[in-house]
Amino acid sequence: MTENLRDGLELRSCISADGMLEIELVDVPVPVPATDEILIRMEAAPINPSDQALLLGPVDPGGLASYGTKDRPVLRAALSTDALNGVRNRAGQSLAVGTEGAGTVVRAGDAVADLVGRKVAVLGGGMYTRYRLVKAEAALVLPDGINVSDGASAFVNPLTALAMVELMREGGHEAIAHTAGASNLGQMLVRLCRAENIPLVSIVRSAHQAARLSGQGARHVVDSSAAGFVDGLTKALAETGATIAFDAIGGGAMANHILSAMEAVGLRNGATYNRYGSGVFKQIYIYGSLDTGPTLLDRRYGFDWAVSGFLVTPFLQRIGPERFNGLKERIQREVQTVFANDYSHVVSMTEMLNPDIVRAYTRKATGEKYIVDPSR
Ligand SMILES: NC(=O)c1ccc[n+]([C@@H]2O[C@H](COP(=O)([O-])OP(=O)(O)OC[C@H]3O[C@@H](n4cnc5c(N)ncnc54)[C@H](OP(=O)(O)O)[C@@H]3O)[C@@H](O)[C@H]2O)c1
């Protein structure tokens, strides 16, 4: 029997042309699937750091004020002129938020009718919504018996971890260094590298995080808050041979520390003195902005280095559908093991607009990942 559907409801974020951020829940029609489409009742969508950037723009969560009613809260904050100038290209647009998520197929077009009732994971934006319409071919059908929350983050972090391994191999590197090493993605990378036999240096910023990763079997963990961090990092890079690093922090001196330590290892291994440096190529990909300040590079590591940005979407476009599908199939098989995620809280879309809860999930703290259940 076909279940009755509720009215559509969607979370939107808008920054007006005069600099007011407004986040609210809006009524939307429930779409009807075309023959190759499915309609998903969204039941789990992570609040990832990149989602927070779209949700809040440059607004400090401490400055949010709540208006509206208990059922339809509205969050507002005024942007400074400087902050508004940085986001002018989105001004006036009511943006749907939520990069990925999972749920149950409640309606389907004729060609894909067998998917009704299946749990699926999807990528594509606008996931903080009661019902999301997608092409069936874009969905990843989750194994039977799985909790829908296990499939909520089946794309962004797993594909990024897999991309790191692919980029390491493409560049002829033999090991990886990774910052914010205890993040959900960092813990996933520990499991993936172990499965692939790739040495990994995980850089964390507290003894607690170091213990957490070591407890999960990570072999090379370096704590940036510890005395002797640079020596420890150099030792770990020497032991693993890592000459490629993925830096989620972005701002500050972390990329510089890694390049300097890689160069120290290269110089130590070099036979003769070369005034242009070790000649060992060192690659840093900045793939996050956990520290929004400027990236500080003192360039005291010769000339064989590169610092580039990395985003998973262009990477997936570059590798083409065949390789992309291969990665997706692997995630589908290992979604509860290598690519498992850890969530601390589940909230409704209404709760997501509670200023206290906003402040909690925007802390982006280790082990405190929030998930939204738009069906609540
Ligand atoms: N470029 C891409 O395509 C792409 C794709 C996926 C993910 N990402 C990025 O990957 C990163 C991790 O994502 P996630 O979902 O795994 O995050 P998460 O589970 O929410 O974990 C965030 C981690 O970052 C640490 N952290 C927060 N602020 C920090 C800072 N200023 N310096 C150092 N560490 C800090 C936290 O440690 P504490 O407990 O010490 O705060 C925590 O371990 C994010 O930056 C995200 O944007 C990028």
Short mmCIF file of all heavy atoms in Angstrom, two decimals, residues 57-105:
data_model
loop_
_atom_site.label_atom_id
_atom_site.label_comp_id
_atom_site.label_asym_id
_atom_site.label_seq_id
_atom_site.Cartn_x
_atom_site.Cartn_y
_atom_site.Cartn_z
N GLY A 57 27.08 31.24 6.10
CA GLY A 57 27.95 32.22 5.44
C GLY A 57 29.05 32.62 6.41
O GLY A 57 29.54 31.79 7.18
N PRO A 58 29.41 33.90 6.44
CA PRO A 58 30.51 34.32 7.31
C PRO A 58 30.06 34.70 8.73
O PRO A 58 30.84 35.30 9.48
CB PRO A 58 31.05 35.55 6.58
CG PRO A 58 29.85 36.11 5.87
CD PRO A 58 28.92 34.97 5.57
N VAL A 59 28.83 34.33 9.09
CA VAL A 59 28.28 34.78 10.38
C VAL A 59 28.82 33.95 11.54
O VAL A 59 28.88 32.72 11.48
CB VAL A 59 26.73 34.68 10.33
CG1 VAL A 59 26.12 34.71 11.72
CG2 VAL A 59 26.17 35.79 9.47
N ASP A 60 29.20 34.63 12.60
CA ASP A 60 29.61 33.96 13.84
C ASP A 60 28.34 33.45 14.53
O ASP A 60 27.42 34.24 14.77
CB ASP A 60 30.34 34.99 14.71
CG ASP A 60 30.77 34.39 16.05
OD1 ASP A 60 30.19 33.38 16.50
OD2 ASP A 60 31.70 34.96 16.64
N PRO A 61 28.26 32.13 14.85
CA PRO A 61 27.03 31.60 15.44
C PRO A 61 26.62 32.33 16.72
O PRO A 61 25.43 32.40 17.05
CB PRO A 61 27.37 30.15 15.76
CG PRO A 61 28.61 29.84 15.01
CD PRO A 61 29.28 31.11 14.63
N GLY A 62 27.58 32.93 17.41
CA GLY A 62 27.27 33.68 18.64
C GLY A 62 26.37 34.87 18.36
O GLY A 62 25.68 35.36 19.27
N GLY A 63 26.35 35.36 17.12
CA GLY A 63 25.56 36.55 16.79
C GLY A 63 24.16 36.24 16.29
O GLY A 63 23.42 37.14 15.88
N LEU A 64 23.75 34.96 16.31
CA LEU A 64 22.42 34.60 15.78
C LEU A 64 21.33 34.90 16.80
O LEU A 64 21.48 34.63 17.99
CB LEU A 64 22.38 33.10 15.47
CG LEU A 64 23.19 32.62 14.27
CD1 LEU A 64 23.27 31.09 14.28
CD2 LEU A 64 22.57 33.11 12.97
N ALA A 65 20.21 35.43 16.33
CA ALA A 65 19.06 35.64 17.21
C ALA A 65 17.87 34.88 16.61
O ALA A 65 17.75 34.76 15.39
CB ALA A 65 18.73 37.12 17.30
N SER A 66 17.02 34.36 17.51
CA SER A 66 15.91 33.53 17.06
C SER A 66 14.61 34.34 17.02
O SER A 66 14.29 35.05 17.98
CB SER A 66 15.78 32.34 18.01
OG SER A 66 14.80 31.47 17.53
N TYR A 67 13.86 34.21 15.93
CA TYR A 67 12.54 34.87 15.78
C TYR A 67 11.55 33.79 15.38
O TYR A 67 11.85 32.60 15.45
CB TYR A 67 12.60 35.96 14.70
CG TYR A 67 13.59 37.05 15.02
CD1 TYR A 67 14.92 36.92 14.69
CD2 TYR A 67 13.17 38.22 15.66
CE1 TYR A 67 15.84 37.92 14.99
CE2 TYR A 67 14.08 39.23 15.96
CZ TYR A 67 15.41 39.07 15.62
OH TYR A 67 16.31 40.06 15.92
N GLY A 68 10.39 34.17 14.94
CA GLY A 68 9.40 33.22 14.47
C GLY A 68 8.70 32.51 15.61
O GLY A 68 8.66 33.00 16.74
N THR A 69 8.16 31.31 15.31
CA THR A 69 7.41 30.56 16.31
C THR A 69 8.19 29.30 16.68
O THR A 69 9.21 29.00 16.07
CB THR A 69 6.05 30.13 15.74
OG1 THR A 69 6.31 29.25 14.63
CG2 THR A 69 5.24 31.32 15.27
N LYS A 70 7.64 28.54 17.67
CA LYS A 70 8.31 27.32 18.11
C LYS A 70 8.43 26.32 16.94
O LYS A 70 9.47 25.69 16.75
CB LYS A 70 7.47 26.71 19.24
CG LYS A 70 8.11 25.57 19.95
CD LYS A 70 7.36 25.30 21.26
CE LYS A 70 7.57 23.88 21.75
NZ LYS A 70 6.78 22.88 21.05
N ASP A 71 7.37 26.23 16.13
CA ASP A 71 7.39 25.28 15.02
C ASP A 71 8.11 25.82 13.79
O ASP A 71 8.61 25.06 12.97
CB ASP A 71 5.95 24.93 14.59
CG ASP A 71 5.27 24.11 15.65
OD1 ASP A 71 5.99 23.53 16.48
OD2 ASP A 71 4.02 24.08 15.66
N ARG A 72 8.09 27.12 13.66
CA ARG A 72 8.73 27.74 12.49
C ARG A 72 9.73 28.80 12.95
O ARG A 72 9.53 30.00 12.76
CB ARG A 72 7.68 28.39 11.59
CG ARG A 72 6.79 27.43 10.84
CD ARG A 72 7.62 26.62 9.82
NE ARG A 72 6.78 25.65 9.15
CZ ARG A 72 6.20 25.86 7.98
NH1 ARG A 72 6.35 26.99 7.34
NH2 ARG A 72 5.46 24.93 7.43
N PRO A 73 10.81 28.36 13.57
CA PRO A 73 11.80 29.34 14.01
C PRO A 73 12.51 29.98 12.82
O PRO A 73 12.61 29.36 11.75
CB PRO A 73 12.78 28.49 14.83
CG PRO A 73 12.61 27.10 14.34
CD PRO A 73 11.21 26.97 13.83
N VAL A 74 12.95 31.20 13.01
CA VAL A 74 13.75 31.89 11.99
C VAL A 74 15.00 32.41 12.69
O VAL A 74 14.89 33.03 13.75
CB VAL A 74 12.97 33.09 11.38
CG1 VAL A 74 13.82 33.80 10.34
CG2 VAL A 74 11.65 32.62 10.78
N LEU A 75 16.15 32.14 12.12
CA LEU A 75 17.40 32.65 12.70
C LEU A 75 17.87 33.84 11.87
O LEU A 75 17.85 33.78 10.63
CB LEU A 75 18.49 31.58 12.67
CG LEU A 75 18.40 30.46 13.69
CD1 LEU A 75 19.57 29.50 13.52
CD2 LEU A 75 18.40 31.03 15.10
N ARG A 76 18.31 34.88 12.58
CA ARG A 76 18.77 36.07 11.85
C ARG A 76 20.08 36.57 12.43
O ARG A 76 20.33 36.44 13.64
CB ARG A 76 17.78 37.21 11.96
CG ARG A 76 16.58 37.03 11.10
CD ARG A 76 15.79 38.31 10.89
NE ARG A 76 14.51 37.94 10.34
CZ ARG A 76 13.33 38.19 10.89
NH1 ARG A 76 13.25 38.86 12.01
NH2 ARG A 76 12.23 37.79 10.32
N ALA A 77 20.90 37.16 11.56
CA ALA A 77 22.11 37.86 12.03
C ALA A 77 22.49 38.87 10.96
O ALA A 77 22.31 38.62 9.75
CB ALA A 77 23.24 36.88 12.24
N ALA A 78 22.99 40.02 11.40
CA ALA A 78 23.41 41.05 10.45
C ALA A 78 24.89 40.87 10.12
O ALA A 78 25.70 40.61 11.01
CB ALA A 78 23.17 42.43 11.06
N LEU A 79 25.23 40.99 8.83
CA LEU A 79 26.64 40.88 8.41
C LEU A 79 27.28 42.26 8.39
O LEU A 79 26.61 43.25 8.05
CB LEU A 79 26.72 40.30 6.99
CG LEU A 79 26.69 38.78 6.83
CD1 LEU A 79 25.34 38.21 7.21
CD2 LEU A 79 27.04 38.40 5.40
N SER A 80 28.55 42.32 8.69
CA SER A 80 29.29 43.57 8.51
C SER A 80 29.47 43.81 7.01
O SER A 80 29.34 42.87 6.20
CB SER A 80 30.66 43.48 9.18
OG SER A 80 31.43 42.51 8.48
N THR A 81 29.78 45.03 6.63
CA THR A 81 29.97 45.32 5.19
C THR A 81 31.08 44.47 4.61
O THR A 81 30.98 43.94 3.49
CB THR A 81 30.33 46.82 5.01
OG1 THR A 81 29.37 47.57 5.74
CG2 THR A 81 30.33 47.24 3.56
N ASP A 82 32.14 44.29 5.38
CA ASP A 82 33.27 43.48 4.93
C ASP A 82 32.83 42.04 4.65
O ASP A 82 33.16 41.46 3.61
CB ASP A 82 34.31 43.46 6.06
CG ASP A 82 35.68 43.68 5.51
OD1 ASP A 82 35.77 44.30 4.43
OD2 ASP A 82 36.64 43.23 6.17
N ALA A 83 32.08 41.47 5.62
CA ALA A 83 31.62 40.09 5.48
C ALA A 83 30.67 39.97 4.29
O ALA A 83 30.74 39.02 3.51
CB ALA A 83 30.92 39.65 6.77
N LEU A 84 29.79 40.97 4.12
CA LEU A 84 28.85 40.93 3.00
C LEU A 84 29.58 40.97 1.67
O LEU A 84 29.22 40.26 0.72
CB LEU A 84 27.86 42.11 3.12
CG LEU A 84 26.85 42.25 2.00
CD1 LEU A 84 25.94 41.02 1.89
CD2 LEU A 84 25.98 43.49 2.19
N ASN A 85 30.64 41.76 1.59
CA ASN A 85 31.39 41.86 0.35
C ASN A 85 31.95 40.50 -0.08
O ASN A 85 32.08 40.21 -1.26
CB ASN A 85 32.53 42.87 0.49
CG ASN A 85 32.00 44.29 0.41
OD1 ASN A 85 30.90 44.51 -0.11
ND2 ASN A 85 32.75 45.24 0.96
N GLY A 86 32.27 39.65 0.90
CA GLY A 86 32.81 38.33 0.59
C GLY A 86 31.78 37.35 0.06
O GLY A 86 32.14 36.30 -0.47
N VAL A 87 30.48 37.65 0.22
CA VAL A 87 29.44 36.69 -0.20
C VAL A 87 28.40 37.35 -1.12
O VAL A 87 27.27 36.87 -1.23
CB VAL A 87 28.73 36.06 1.04
CG1 VAL A 87 29.65 35.11 1.77
CG2 VAL A 87 28.20 37.12 2.00
N ARG A 88 28.79 38.43 -1.78
CA ARG A 88 27.84 39.16 -2.64
C ARG A 88 27.23 38.28 -3.72
O ARG A 88 26.10 38.47 -4.13
CB ARG A 88 28.54 40.35 -3.30
CG ARG A 88 28.74 41.51 -2.37
CD ARG A 88 28.23 42.83 -2.96
NE ARG A 88 28.47 43.90 -2.00
CZ ARG A 88 27.54 44.41 -1.23
NH1 ARG A 88 26.29 44.01 -1.32
NH2 ARG A 88 27.83 45.37 -0.36
N ASN A 89 28.01 37.27 -4.18
CA ASN A 89 27.50 36.44 -5.28
C ASN A 89 26.34 35.54 -4.86
O ASN A 89 25.70 34.92 -5.70
CB ASN A 89 28.62 35.62 -5.93
CG ASN A 89 29.37 34.78 -4.92
OD1 ASN A 89 29.11 34.88 -3.72
ND2 ASN A 89 30.29 33.96 -5.39
N ARG A 90 26.05 35.44 -3.56
CA ARG A 90 24.86 34.66 -3.16
C ARG A 90 23.73 35.56 -2.66
O ARG A 90 22.66 35.05 -2.28
CB ARG A 90 25.22 33.59 -2.12
CG ARG A 90 25.73 34.13 -0.79
CD ARG A 90 25.83 33.04 0.29
NE ARG A 90 24.55 32.77 0.91
CZ ARG A 90 24.37 31.95 1.95
NH1 ARG A 90 25.40 31.31 2.47
NH2 ARG A 90 23.17 31.75 2.46
N ALA A 91 23.97 36.86 -2.64
CA ALA A 91 22.98 37.78 -2.04
C ALA A 91 21.62 37.65 -2.73
O ALA A 91 21.52 37.58 -3.96
CB ALA A 91 23.49 39.21 -2.12
N GLY A 92 20.58 37.58 -1.91
CA GLY A 92 19.21 37.54 -2.44
C GLY A 92 18.73 36.16 -2.83
O GLY A 92 17.56 35.98 -3.17
N GLN A 93 19.61 35.15 -2.80
CA GLN A 93 19.18 33.81 -3.21
C GLN A 93 18.79 32.98 -1.99
O GLN A 93 19.56 32.89 -1.04
CB GLN A 93 20.32 33.09 -3.92
CG GLN A 93 20.78 33.76 -5.20
CD GLN A 93 21.96 33.01 -5.82
OE1 GLN A 93 21.87 31.83 -6.07
NE2 GLN A 93 23.05 33.72 -6.04
N SER A 94 17.63 32.36 -2.06
CA SER A 94 17.18 31.47 -0.99
C SER A 94 17.78 30.09 -1.28
O SER A 94 17.33 29.40 -2.20
CB SER A 94 15.65 31.42 -0.99
OG SER A 94 15.21 30.44 -0.11
N LEU A 95 18.80 29.71 -0.52
CA LEU A 95 19.58 28.51 -0.86
C LEU A 95 19.15 27.30 -0.04
O LEU A 95 19.06 27.38 1.20
CB LEU A 95 21.07 28.77 -0.64
CG LEU A 95 21.69 29.91 -1.46
CD1 LEU A 95 23.14 30.15 -1.03
CD2 LEU A 95 21.63 29.57 -2.95
N ALA A 96 18.92 26.19 -0.73
CA ALA A 96 18.67 24.92 -0.05
C ALA A 96 20.02 24.39 0.44
O ALA A 96 21.04 24.59 -0.22
CB ALA A 96 18.04 23.94 -1.02
N VAL A 97 20.03 23.74 1.60
CA VAL A 97 21.30 23.34 2.23
C VAL A 97 21.31 21.82 2.48
O VAL A 97 20.25 21.20 2.58
CB VAL A 97 21.50 24.10 3.57
CG1 VAL A 97 22.93 23.93 4.08
CG2 VAL A 97 21.17 25.58 3.43
N GLY A 98 22.51 21.27 2.64
CA GLY A 98 22.64 19.84 2.94
C GLY A 98 23.18 19.10 1.74
O GLY A 98 22.44 18.80 0.80
N THR A 99 24.46 18.76 1.77
CA THR A 99 25.10 18.18 0.59
C THR A 99 24.68 16.74 0.32
O THR A 99 24.54 16.34 -0.83
CB THR A 99 26.63 18.22 0.78
OG1 THR A 99 26.99 19.53 1.16
CG2 THR A 99 27.37 17.83 -0.48
N GLU A 100 24.50 15.98 1.38
CA GLU A 100 24.25 14.54 1.18
C GLU A 100 23.32 14.04 2.27
O GLU A 100 23.08 14.73 3.28
CB GLU A 100 25.56 13.76 1.22
CG GLU A 100 26.26 13.86 2.57
CD GLU A 100 27.59 13.13 2.63
OE1 GLU A 100 27.79 12.16 1.88
OE2 GLU A 100 28.44 13.54 3.44
N GLY A 101 22.81 12.85 2.09
CA GLY A 101 21.93 12.28 3.11
C GLY A 101 21.39 10.93 2.66
O GLY A 101 21.76 10.41 1.61
N ALA A 102 20.49 10.40 3.48
CA ALA A 102 19.91 9.10 3.16
C ALA A 102 18.46 9.06 3.64
O ALA A 102 18.06 9.84 4.50
CB ALA A 102 20.71 7.99 3.84
N GLY A 103 17.71 8.14 3.07
CA GLY A 103 16.31 8.01 3.44
C GLY A 103 15.68 6.83 2.73
O GLY A 103 16.37 5.98 2.16
N THR A 104 14.34 6.82 2.76
CA THR A 104 13.59 5.71 2.19
C THR A 104 12.84 6.19 0.94
O THR A 104 12.24 7.27 0.96
CB THR A 104 12.57 5.18 3.23
OG1 THR A 104 13.27 4.88 4.43
CG2 THR A 104 11.85 3.95 2.73
N VAL A 105 12.88 5.39 -0.10
CA VAL A 105 12.16 5.75 -1.33
C VAL A 105 10.66 5.56 -1.09
O VAL A 105 10.21 4.47 -0.73
CB VAL A 105 12.63 4.86 -2.51
CG1 VAL A 105 11.86 5.22 -3.78
CG2 VAL A 105 14.13 5.01 -2.73
#
